[in-house]
Amino acid sequence: MNDKILAYEVRFFNVGNGSKGGDAILVRFQDDSKQWHVVIVDGGYQENGDRIIRYLVDECQINYIDLIFNTHPDIDHISGLIEIFNSDEVKVGKLIMNRPWRDANLKISYFKDGRFTENSLDGRLKDSFKKAYELEQAAIKKIGVSNIVSPVIGNSYLNCITILGPSTEHYRKYLLASDKTPATNEGLVGKMRTFAKKMLHFIKFNVGDFVYWNDDEETSPINETSVVLWLNMTNWNFLLTGDVGKVGLNAALDYFEQTTGQESNSFDVVQLPHHGSRKNASPELFKRLGNAQYIISCPPDGYSTGHPSKRMVNRLLQDCPNAKIYLTQTSPFIFMSNLRLTLTHVNPLVQYGEIEEL
């Protein structure tokens, strides 16, 4: 229990239109000295960054953000953060993000192309991660280079938020395996499989039927580099996952259990990674996390791309029948304590009458 927090709000914004979603999470809380703090975890698209600013400035009368986390460099997580750093309406204390050209310690000897120099590799990485580099440059102008730091597993901030992953080894392995970095030398690390996007086909599902699962499906390597965060708000534990894959999320849960002595089912609220994709989840993870309240940040028409996966929702509810799953398709989803906020009533999901074919 975190008795240093008097009141809090954790707001999962609805992000995206059509079938394209993203993540944008705002945390604001009042500490035991009655001082307000704000943490942003990802910023969605450009319009979401503006919406975060308007909410803070117009509705909360707050113009200072203590911490901003970027979980990974995808456009649907990072674009709104650039908007925040380019704004004159809010000030920012610190940015926590991975910068492959600066903090991954990648060496030219790792790569097949013998023509690389340190400078040309640096330029190649900045070009591959254009949006991340744009965010870094916007942040340097606003807060200075010393206030931009890399996420380090185990580091805690503001007495309430702790980085659970990735480890340095995990981050480098999946960064090198991604299609955003050049081909590596034989035996160092192979480029991991990527799956072409395909049209999903749905089959009828009857409640009570067993939901079969394909454990071989994988998310992209760059998703596996996502930062995983533990947010401890009064008597509630939140798990924020970005787009992390099954390997990274299991490793983060292992670290949580080893360092706290708590079980993974201690999380009251779990953000399901990658907008509810089944490639980022597994029955093993469902059983570890148990009957929590699950949040899926997904777009209004995301079902055609598996965001969320109906098969994943049905299997989670089958393995954890008392779990509650909520979507952010059309409106924010808000958790609060001792704050006077009006919430729209949202019903948790029940099993769907159809699921995707495997």
Side-chain angles (χ1 to χ4, degrees), residues 12-30:
F12 294 81
F13 285 91
N14 54 308
V15 176
N17 297 299
S19 61
K20 292 185 177 181
D23 279 6
I25 303 166
L26 181 147
V27 181
R28 66 182 179 110
F29 66 92
Q30 191 179 46

Side-chain angles (χ1 to χ4, degrees), residues 131-180:
K131 277 294 179 182
Y133 183 62
E134 185 180 346
L135 174 60
E136 181 201 44
Q137 294 306 297
I140 288 173
K141 290 179 182 178
K142 192 178 188 75
I143 62 176
V145 69
S146 63
N147 287 311
I148 308 170
V149 299
S150 302
V152 176
I153 189 170
N155 278 8
S156 294
Y157 301 88
L158 299 174
N159 295 310
C160 68
I161 190 162
T162 303
I163 297 172
L164 299 180
S167 67
T168 301
E169 295 77 14
H170 179 97
Y171 172 62
R172 187 179 295 120
K173 172 184 176 181
Y174 284 92
L175 183 63
L176 286 169
S178 78
D179 58 3
K180 290 181 175 290

Side-chain angles (χ1 to χ4, degrees), residues 246-259:
K246 293 175 283 190
V247 178
L249 186 48
N250 270 308
L253 294 177
D254 289 344
Y255 181 80
F256 173 78
E257 292 180 353
Q258 291 161 9
T259 55

Side-chain angles (χ1 to χ4, degrees), residues 2-8 30-34 234 337-338:
N2 192 340
D3 56 7
K4 294 185 180 297
I5 294 176
L6 303 179
Y8 70 84
Q30 191 179 46
D31 64 21
D32 53 1
S33 64
K34 297 190 176 179
T234 317
S337 170
N338 299 329

Side-chain angles (χ1 to χ4, degrees), residues 78 119 129 161 183 279 289 332 338-339 352:
I78 208 168
N119 284 338
F129 295 90
I161 190 162
K279 294 179 181 179
L289 293 165
N338 299 329
L339 294 174
Y352 291 102

Side-chain angles (χ1 to χ4, degrees), residues 271-319:
Q271 176 198 19
L272 284 168
H274 201 201
H275 326 299
S277 170
R278 71 184 194 218
K279 294 179 181 179
N280 300 63
S282 69
E284 175 196 3
L285 280 166
F286 302 152
K287 290 170 184 174
R288 291 190 76 174
L289 293 165
N291 291 306
Q293 296 190 60
Y294 293 87
I295 302 296
I296 302 177
S297 176
C298 56
D301 302 320
Y303 291 115
S304 63
T305 56
H307 296 157
S309 159
K310 294 182 177 181
R311 182 176 288 272
M312 186 276 300
V313 168
N314 284 16
R315 182 57 188 260
L316 172 52
L317 290 173
Q318 188 169 85
D319 289 341

Side-chain angles (χ1 to χ4, degrees), residues 56 79 164:
L56 282 175
S79 299
L164 299 180

Side-chain angles (χ1 to χ4, degrees), residues 84-104:
I84 292 171
F85 277 100
N86 285 333
S87 171
D88 294 327
E89 294 189 74
V90 291
K91 298 177 180 178
V92 178
K94 191 180 293 291
L95 169 65
I96 300 170
M97 66 176 294
N98 275 315
R99 293 166 290 171
W101 58 91
R102 189 184 295 269
D103 58 17

